[in-house]
Amino acid sequence: MAAITGALALSACSSGGGFNTPAATQAPAGGPVALKMLIASSGDAETNALKAATAAWGKKTGNSVEVTAADNMDQQLGQAFAGGAPPDVFYGADTRIGDFAKAGNLYAYGDQVANEKFLPSLVQTFTYNGKLQCAPKDYSTLALEINTDLWTKAGLTDADIPKDWAALETVATKLTQGTVTGLVIGNDINRGGAFMKQAGGWVISADGKTMTADTPQNLAGLQEIKKMMDAGALKFNTDTTPAAGWGGEAFGKGIAAMTIEGNWIKGGMQKDYPNLKYKVVELPTGPAGKGTLSFSNCWAIAAKSQHQAASVDLVKFLTSTDQQLAFTKAFGPMPSTEDGIAKFKTDYPADAPFAAGGDYGQGAVNAPGMDPVMKAFNSKMATLSKGGDPKAMLADLQKNGTAALAG
């Protein structure tokens, strides 16, 4: 990651005056122009959907778009920035927006898409220094998945669906039988962080400028995970027998009666475990109420692109309600706009618990310099099942995060 950060810093200063291309060099929106797009694709379905959508836009405008699915997004993007020839449009990861913006790599065009009415939580995720840097592409949230056969076998009914932590503890304990663990989750903040949020905590302030990691609320969230672990009712996916690559794998194999995953689990189950019967519900509330995590990318536009006007026009096309719902049908993401998600809820009622999380989901830590800090915290968090001290973990996160923000 240090190499990538260095590449970003190098690219930010290599042009002397930054990456804001003079207006005189900008090609007109009407084209014809040839855009380059770099994506971090989940597979052929996503790549093909993007190629079809950009081709439709190209037919409408006379422009063209070359879509490339990255083998290693961070590496290829860092090299492109360092070389001074970044793609015009690319997937901007929610965790890296602060880094990209601080380095001068982004064309902050948010004011040009203000009428799209993106979900407020997503707007916050992609805002840096008070400016919406890029249009949210789509989003995913965490929910609770329940194996209905194992649920019924344990004598549980719909009345037992957990609404709070106490009820979650009760059903997870009842579902833990033999080789089956009641609840299996991923071993980092991308899953366990939901408990921190439900307890009223989070890593960083809403404006991304102050660390709020070492608090009683965050400690309560991690202690709840550890409490359930000590009772044998919860395991990390890396601690199951056999170890699972993610919570969805443990769930699909029947060694987890419940898991906490995002709406991507739908495709995973259809592909690898098509006979599994399960239902999805919102995560139980904690002491502070509802809490889930939200994950997203944005349609980032390079500050050094000579086709910014055309790129913005393309983004408007890609974030239209019809096109976002076409992406939903093709590879599963949820629309990022209020109009789009309202129609999604009607079209996909079984996924309503995921969609509901868009109203209260916590976005990623997106401040500059925080990516390596969060990776270090995740490594420590994975030791919760092996005697790791949650208070010490949070104290280290507070210290390291504060240093990163100061840098």
Side-chain angles (χ1 to χ4, degrees):
M1 187 56 63
I4 296 171
T5 303
L8 294 175
L10 174 63
S11 62
C13 62
S14 62
S15 60
F19 272 173
N20 289 320
T21 309
T25 68
Q26 291 291 312
V33 299
L35 302 182
K36 292 188 176 182
M37 176 186 288
L38 185 67
I39 66 173
S41 179
S42 60
D44 290 344
E46 182 169 356
T47 301
N48 291 337
L50 258 296
K51 288 182 177 179
T54 54
W57 175 78
K59 185 176 181 180
K60 174 183 175 183
T61 63
N63 300 322
S64 64
V65 184
E66 179 184 346
V67 178
T68 300
D71 295 321
N72 185 319
M73 189 69 175
D74 274 353
Q75 182 182 66
Q76 289 173 241
L77 200 52
Q79 290 172 343
F81 285 140
D88 298 285
V89 183
F90 57 94
Y91 280 15
D94 49 9
T95 57
R96 302 302 308 283
I97 289 304
D99 288 325
F100 294 152
K102 184 178 181 180
N105 292 325
L106 296 181
Y107 172 50
Y109 65 92
D111 58 335
Q112 299 180 52
V113 292
N115 293 330
E116 299 299 320
K117 294 185 179 179
F118 296 102
L119 295 178
S121 60
L122 299 180
V123 171
Q124 180 178 330
T125 294
F126 294 108
T127 295
Y128 175 76
N129 275 354
K131 292 183 178 181
L132 177 60
Q133 299 292 317
C134 46
K137 184 175 76 70
D138 48 40
Y139 76 102
S140 302
T141 65
L142 299 178
L144 181 70
E145 292 79 30
I146 298 170
N147 181 316
T148 52
D149 284 341
L150 293 176
W151 186 264
T152 302
K153 184 179 178 181
L156 298 168
T157 68
D158 283 352
D160 298 303
I161 291 174
K163 302 296 184 183
D164 55 28
W165 283 0
L168 181 64
E169 293 171 19
T170 297
V171 297
T173 298
K174 288 184 178 180
L175 289 164
T176 300
Q177 300 179 20
T179 60
V180 178
T181 300
L183 176 63
V184 175
I185 66 173
N187 64 359
D188 62 18
I189 197 170
N190 292 320
R191 301 298 180 271
F195 288 86
M196 295 163 60
K197 190 65 180 176
Q198 291 157 12
W202 189 239
V203 175
I204 197 168
S205 61
D207 63 8
K209 296 181 179 180
T210 306
M211 289 299 295
T212 58
D214 192 7
T215 66
Q217 292 82 8
N218 287 325
L219 181 60
L222 296 188
Q223 286 177 331
E224 177 64 17
I225 295 173
K226 195 164 179 61
K227 177 183 178 182
M228 292 182 66
M229 282 181 168
D230 291 343
L234 183 154
K235 287 183 180 179
F236 285 149
N237 62 289
T238 47
D239 296 326
T240 59
T241 304
W246 63 301
E249 180 182 347
F251 188 64
K253 289 182 175 179
I255 56 177
M258 299 185 293
T259 191
I260 295 174
E261 285 293 339
N263 43 301
W264 52 79
I265 197 172
K266 183 176 180 180
M269 295 303 102
Q270 288 175 343
K271 178 182 177 183
D272 297 324
Y273 310 100
N275 297 321
L276 181 71
K277 298 177 182 178
Y278 70 99
K279 71 184 305 178
V280 180
V281 299
E282 287 184 68
L283 294 180
T285 62
K290 289 186 175 184
T292 189
L293 304 185
S294 176
F295 307 90
S296 183
N297 283 296
C298 74
W299 291 113
I301 297 176
K304 204 171 185 179
S305 167
Q306 294 186 11
H307 308 302
Q308 290 170 354
S311 295
V312 171
D313 189 67
L314 171 61
V315 169
K316 290 181 178 179
F317 178 85
L318 296 175
T319 55
S320 67
T321 297
D322 288 346
Q323 186 55 62
Q324 287 207 20
L325 290 172
F327 287 148
T328 295
K329 186 175 181 180
F331 59 99
M334 296 189 294
S336 59
T337 60
E338 294 179 357
D339 182 57
I341 200 62
K343 292 185 178 180
F344 174 90
K345 290 176 181 178
T346 299
D347 293 346
Y348 301 92
D351 292 331
F354 293 120
D359 295 332
Y360 56 87
Q362 172 63 56
V365 176
N366 63 0
M370 285 297 295
D371 194 51
V373 173
M374 296 310 301
K375 287 180 178 177
F377 174 71
N378 284 338
S379 295
K380 292 178 181 178
M381 191 170 167
T383 69
L384 271 177
S385 60
K386 302 174 177 63
D389 180 357
K391 185 167 180 57
M393 293 176 194
L394 292 170
D396 283 345
L397 177 57
Q398 180 77 24
K399 176 183 176 181
N400 297 335
T402 299
L405 294 179

